[in-house]
């Protein structure tokens, strides 16, 4: 008998204050279009936290609610980027042979950093044979882009943000889905800077901080993922 066929793996990273099971529901429209072409890998973040924005009351009792990091202060966020947990996630992505990453909200900046580190490990050639595309949906950015919650400049966050950006841009293709009414839209716009100009595409949609529900937009995203991955 011929060996069983396997489909390429896409990694899906949830936002803060949810979990992998909740994200399966939040991303169900996109997932339904992707599943004929890819194996979808949902991972849980490592830390327990309060429910995220918009999670309650619909996902009441669906905890534990999880987060990738404590980014309430630049010092605490720096601990995550400098710690072992992000390294373990990078190693898991490499071992599983992930070809693409879809990250929502905080999952967007985590996905960016995972791919950037993979590319750095692989040298000038980038992540050859590895991650081809990052899709950041309403993504937030390292150190909130150097601003505080009121939108003013924060000196410490600004220094950390510039240090992170100076580490280089992601070479893989990227798609940035930015909600026009998203309270964190400014962060999504700044996350774009962490990706190479030639390979990035920005798509703004009518919506707030959520996965897009419009069928046409989800089909467009799937086409871009398939194109980046060679049609699979």
């Amino acid at each position: 008998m011929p060996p069983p066929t396997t489909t390429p793996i896409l990694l899906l990273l949830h936002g803060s204050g949810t979990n992998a099971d909740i994200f399966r529901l939040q991303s169900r429209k996109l997932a339904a279009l992707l599943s004929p072409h890819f194996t979808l890998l949902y991972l849980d973040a490592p830390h327990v936290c309060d429910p995220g924005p918009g999670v309650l009351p619909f996902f009441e009792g669906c905890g534990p609610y999880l987060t990738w990091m404590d980014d309430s202060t630049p010092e605490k966020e720096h601990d995550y980027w400098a710690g072992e947990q992000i390294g373990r996630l990078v190693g898991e992505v490499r071992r599983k042979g992930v070809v693409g990453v879809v990250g929502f909200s905080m999952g967007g900046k985590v996905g960016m950093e995972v791919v950037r580190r993979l590319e750095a490990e692989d040298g000038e050639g980038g992540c050859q044979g590895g991650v081809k595309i990052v899709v950041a949906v309403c993504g937030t950015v390292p150190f909130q882009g150097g601003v505080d919650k009121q939108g003013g400049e924060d000196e410490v966050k600004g220094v950390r943000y510039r240090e992170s950006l100076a580490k280089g841009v992601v070479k893989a293709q990227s798609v940035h889905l930015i909600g026009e009414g998203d309270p964190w839209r400014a962060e999504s716009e700044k996350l774009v800077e962490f990706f190479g100009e030639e390979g990035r595409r920005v798509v703004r949609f009518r919506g707030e901080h959520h996965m897009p529900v419009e069928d046409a937009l989800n089909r467009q995203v799937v086409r871009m993922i398939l194109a980046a991955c060679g049609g699979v």
Side-chain angles (χ1 to χ4, degrees), residues 141-147 153-154 157-158 161-162 186-187 190 194:
V141 71
F143 304 102
Q144 290 74 49
V147 300
E153 293 294 326
D154 182 291
K157 287 183 179 179
Y161 168 76
R162 290 189 294 274
E187 290 200 40
K190 285 200 167 188
F194 284 78

Side-chain angles (χ1 to χ4, degrees), residues 131-206:
V131 178
K132 306 296 185 184
I133 188 167
V134 178
V135 180
V137 185
C138 299
T140 56
V141 71
F143 304 102
Q144 290 74 49
V147 300
D148 59 26
K149 291 183 178 180
Q150 288 71 43
E153 293 294 326
D154 182 291
E155 183 178 355
V156 178
K157 287 183 179 179
V159 170
R160 293 297 192 187
Y161 168 76
R162 290 189 294 274
E163 288 175 348
S164 181
L165 187 58
K167 293 178 182 178
V169 297
V170 173
K171 302 178 183 70
Q173 295 183 46
S174 63
V175 180
H176 303 265
L177 300 181
I178 300 176
E180 292 178 346
D182 186 352
W184 292 274
R185 176 176 177 174
E187 290 200 40
S188 296
E189 301 281 2
K190 285 200 167 188
L191 184 62
V192 176
E193 300 176 20
F194 284 78
F195 295 81
E197 291 186 25
E198 293 184 2
R200 70 193 188 203
R201 293 188 63 181
V202 177
V203 180
R204 297 177 178 85
F205 66 95
R206 290 185 179 180

Side-chain angles (χ1 to χ4, degrees), residues 30-97:
L30 181 62
L33 297 170
L34 289 170
S35 57
H37 310 283
F38 299 94
T39 296
L40 305 183
L41 174 63
Y42 291 83
L43 295 181
D44 277 324
H47 303 293
V48 176
C49 67
D50 293 331
V55 170
L56 301 180
F58 189 79
F59 294 108
E60 182 77 43
C62 295
Y65 306 103
L66 305 170
T67 189
W68 300 99
M69 70 187 81
D70 181 349
D71 61 358
S72 59
T73 69
E75 293 81 10
K76 290 179 178 179
E77 181 168 348
H78 179 263
D79 288 344
Y80 175 78
W81 299 126
E84 296 179 356
Q85 289 174 338
I86 184 72
R88 288 197 292 269
L89 183 56
V90 170
E92 185 167 2
V93 171
R94 183 181 290 283
R95 286 191 300 274
K96 292 185 179 297

Side-chain angles (χ1 to χ4, degrees), residues 9 14 25 48 51 65 99 101 120 123 129 143 181 185 213:
I9 297 174
H14 63 78
L25 291 172
V48 176
Y65 306 103
V99 300
V101 178
F143 304 102
R185 176 176 177 174
V213 297

